[in-house]
Amino acid sequence: MSRSTHVYIAAALVGGLLLTACSLLNPDRQALSKPHAAVAAPALHISQVDFGHDARFTRCMEPACPSVTPKTLAPTPAPVTPTPIVATPPAAASAAVIPRPTGLVTTALPAGPRTAAPRRLTLHFGTNSAVLTTAHKVLLSNAIGELRRTDRIVIAGRTDDLGSESLNEALALARALAIRDHLLDLAPDLPARIGIDAKGRCCYATPNDSNAGRAQNRRVELAYTPRDESAP
């Protein structure tokens, strides 16, 4: 065997030893040299992150996705059972909305103060006279009870058509004042309720074509309406 042959064999042995040593020092080299097996990619999901006004959505991979809670904006909807709609006949609907009245309730209003019928007391005078007679005073005394229970008394003095207009105006006023003064003597609390209406040659009760007719016109009339205090 020649010298060159020995050198070649020695070099081959050294190379083999070096390869074996490298394999022992790098055990994963063979595994890395093998072709990779196909691995399935994990599925992506859309999940809610945070709650309330801070809620937002992002992509995640199981098992790292957050769990669904009652605060999740889009939980799995529960099945809903539809409620049947029943039409109500018009007559039944009206009866349900407007109940039939069972009776009437009346309230009695308080009664106000009652008044009796209007009164008119007439006193006649002689020709050209304004002097009260005994008959006048008796009539006024009998009426003083009702006059106390009235709110207003109007005393109207009247004359016939004999004499001048100025004379009759003065005579009508004198007759009315004579009645007023006597009433004040009987009941001093009446002044605020007394009114005077004196007119001569006016407002005749009967025609002045006879003495009897003129006697009816020479008068004083008291008009008043007493309160009926006896009423409940």
Side-chain angles (χ1 to χ4, degrees), residues 19 60 69 94 135 154-155 160 169 183-185 188 199:
L19 288 175
C60 64
T69 69
S94 300
V154 178
I155 302 176
D160 57 22
E169 288 289 333
L183 289 177
L184 295 180
D185 291 338
K199 294 179 181 179

Side-chain angles (χ1 to χ4, degrees), residues 26-216:
N26 296 293
D28 295 334
R29 184 177 182 85
Q30 294 180 356
L32 293 175
S33 63
K34 295 181 180 179
H36 296 286
V39 179
L44 296 178
H45 299 277
I46 302 296
S47 297
Q48 178 182 334
V49 180
D50 295 330
F51 302 98
H53 295 289
D54 298 327
R56 55 191 179 86
F57 294 88
T58 184
R59 292 184 297 177
C60 64
M61 292 184 297
E62 294 294 349
C65 293
S67 302
V68 176
T69 69
K71 293 185 178 181
T72 303
L73 295 179
T76 303
V80 178
T81 303
T83 303
I85 300 176
V86 180
T88 304
S94 300
V97 175
I98 305 176
R100 190 180 185 86
T102 58
L104 298 177
V105 178
T106 58
T107 303
L109 298 177
R114 297 184 180 182
T115 57
R119 300 283 196 272
R120 185 178 295 273
L121 177 62
T122 303
L123 301 94
H124 295 95
F125 287 80
T127 302
N128 296 329
S129 174
V131 177
L132 296 184
T133 65
T134 302
H136 293 152
K137 295 176 181 180
V138 171
L139 291 174
L140 294 175
S141 297
N142 293 336
I144 197 63
E146 289 186 342
L147 294 174
R148 287 179 181 273
R149 300 197 312 269
T150 187
D151 294 326
R152 181 171 173 77
I153 305 169
V154 178
I155 302 176
R158 300 290 185 256
T159 66
D160 57 22
D161 64 344
L162 298 179
S164 66
E165 183 174 350
S166 59
L167 174 63
N168 282 280
E169 288 289 333
L171 190 57
L173 180 59
R175 288 170 176 168
L177 292 178
I179 298 296
R180 183 203 63 181
D181 292 344
H182 187 72
L183 289 177
L184 295 180
D185 291 338
L186 296 175
D189 56 331
L190 292 178
R193 299 195 292 263
I194 295 178
I196 301 296
D197 177 24
K199 294 179 181 179
R201 301 183 69 174
C202 166
C203 316
Y204 302 122
T206 62
N208 289 286
D209 54 2
S210 65
N211 291 332
R214 286 190 289 271
Q216 293 296 319

